């Protein structure tokens, strides 16, 4: 919740402890030549920087030399890195002599969040929802849908897909109780999750009929969830 009392557009932060997933996210943030925006709460400012790997640690190099005078106060404090619709939070481990380099070490714990402009509902224990990726080849990938919104979806895959962030849109078929959505998605992240792979993706383009189908499903699901919280469960023998 923001100071103004309005709900933040960022979904709740997920605490990550898995070293492989943390490294994958850091590599993803570092691969964008546009860099990241770093928020410094104590300095009440946000500035552009480049995330990079140097030796056996991760560092942030500021893109604005004028910041060096205040960077010392960043040491030991939480930094928020924003790139597109994603955020990473981690602790600054040290500051270089020139004040332009922030040392992050090898983080063993980070907080991760995604920006979601649309209401998203969980698909856990929802019957009649199926997701197929790359339905045309002889070996389509059957995924387990996790959540859904007008903006995109989350899913668990049984194996690592041959595409990821920056690749061409992936064709998918989403089967809902009231109909089928055949479209393409832009994969935003692909991270290991136990014996499966967790994928987050945004719809590349939905026609009005597809948007209406998803919107109706999301609204119905939200009503069902509210009703389940208000109505006591009845035990049937």
């Amino acid at each position: 919740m923001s100071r103004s009392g309005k709900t933040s557009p960022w979904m709740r932060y997920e605490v990550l402890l898995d070293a492989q997933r943390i490294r994958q996210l850091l590599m993803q943030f570092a691969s964008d030549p546009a860099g990241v925006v770093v928020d410094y709460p104590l300095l009440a400012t946000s500035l552009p920087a480049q995330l990079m790997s140097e030796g056996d640690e991760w560092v942030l190099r500021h893109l604005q030399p004028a910041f060096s005078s205040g960077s010392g106060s960043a040491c030991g404090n939480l930094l928020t890195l924003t790139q597109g619709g994603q955020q990473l939070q981690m602790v600054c481990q040290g500051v270089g002599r020139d004040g332009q380099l922030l040392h992050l070490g090898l983080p063993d714990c980070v907080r991760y969040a995604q920006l979601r402009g649309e209401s998203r509902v969980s698909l856990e224990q929802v019957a009649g929802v199926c997701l197929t990726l790359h339905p045309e080849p002889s070996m389509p990938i059957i995924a387990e849908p996790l959540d859904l919104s007008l903006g995109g979806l989350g899913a668990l895959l049984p194996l690592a897909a041959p595409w990821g962030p920056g690749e061409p849109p992936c064709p998918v078929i989403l089967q809902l109780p009231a109909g089928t959505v055949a479209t393409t998605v832009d994969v935003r992240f692909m991270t290991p999750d136990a014996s499966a792979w967790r994928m987050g993706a945004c719809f590349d383009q939905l026609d009005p009929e597809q948007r209406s189908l998803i919107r109706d499903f999301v609204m119905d699901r939200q009503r069902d969830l509210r009703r389940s919280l208000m109505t006591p469960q009845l035990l049937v023998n």
Side-chain angles (χ1 to χ4, degrees):
M1 189 79 71
S2 67
R3 294 181 181 178
S4 64
K6 296 181 179 180
T7 302
S8 168
W10 294 93
M11 73 174 200
R12 68 180 183 273
Y13 279 91
E14 176 185 5
V15 178
L16 304 180
L17 301 174
D18 182 85
Q20 185 174 0
R21 188 176 181 193
I22 292 173
R23 175 175 171 77
Q24 188 172 29
L25 283 170
L26 288 170
M27 291 178 64
Q28 179 183 332
F29 274 56
S31 66
D32 191 335
V36 300
V37 175
V38 184
D39 179 43
Y40 303 87
L42 293 181
L43 299 176
T45 188
S46 298
L47 294 170
Q50 187 70 52
L51 177 66
M52 60 187 71
S53 176
E54 286 194 357
D56 59 352
E57 69 163 342
W58 290 91
V59 298
L60 279 169
R61 181 171 294 280
H62 293 121
L63 303 181
Q64 292 186 355
F67 180 72
S68 60
S69 60
S71 60
S73 60
C75 184
N77 290 309
L78 191 68
L79 305 178
T80 299
L81 283 60
T82 302
Q83 185 183 84
Q86 300 182 92
Q87 280 190 348
L88 278 177
Q89 289 187 339
M90 63 195 72
V91 175
C92 176
Q93 302 295 331
V95 180
R97 290 183 179 179
D98 61 357
Q100 294 302 108
L101 201 66
L102 299 186
H103 298 271
L104 304 176
L106 293 175
D108 55 6
C109 176
V110 302
R111 299 175 72 206
Y112 173 68
Q114 285 182 282
L115 181 64
R116 292 178 174 174
E118 303 283 355
S119 297
R120 183 169 297 231
V121 293
S122 170
L123 298 179
E124 184 178 358
Q125 298 180 344
V126 177
V129 180
C130 303
L131 178 65
T132 304
L133 289 78
H134 276 294
E136 295 300 329
S138 57
M139 293 292 290
I141 299 177
I142 308 300
E144 176 187 348
L146 298 177
D147 50 57
L148 175 66
S149 76
L150 273 173
L153 52 82
L156 278 182
L157 281 60
L159 47 82
W163 67 90
E167 298 291 330
C170 166
V172 300
I173 290 181
L174 175 65
Q175 181 68 51
L176 298 174
T180 300
V181 176
T183 184
T184 56
V185 297
D186 290 317
V187 177
R188 293 302 177 90
F189 68 87
M190 185 78 66
T191 57
D193 188 323
S195 59
W197 287 76
R198 182 181 294 266
M199 180 191 75
C202 295
F203 292 119
D204 183 46
Q205 188 172 5
L206 296 173
D207 61 39
E209 184 177 351
Q210 291 172 330
R211 288 186 62 85
S212 178
L213 187 63
I214 294 175
R215 182 186 299 110
D216 290 345
F217 174 83
V218 169
M219 293 177 64
D220 288 344
R221 177 64 177 152
Q222 288 175 329
R223 280 194 292 267
D224 290 343
L225 290 172
R226 286 195 295 267
R227 192 178 299 117
S228 67
L229 293 174
M230 297 173 60
T231 305
Q233 290 186 341
L234 300 178
L235 299 180
V236 180
N237 295 327

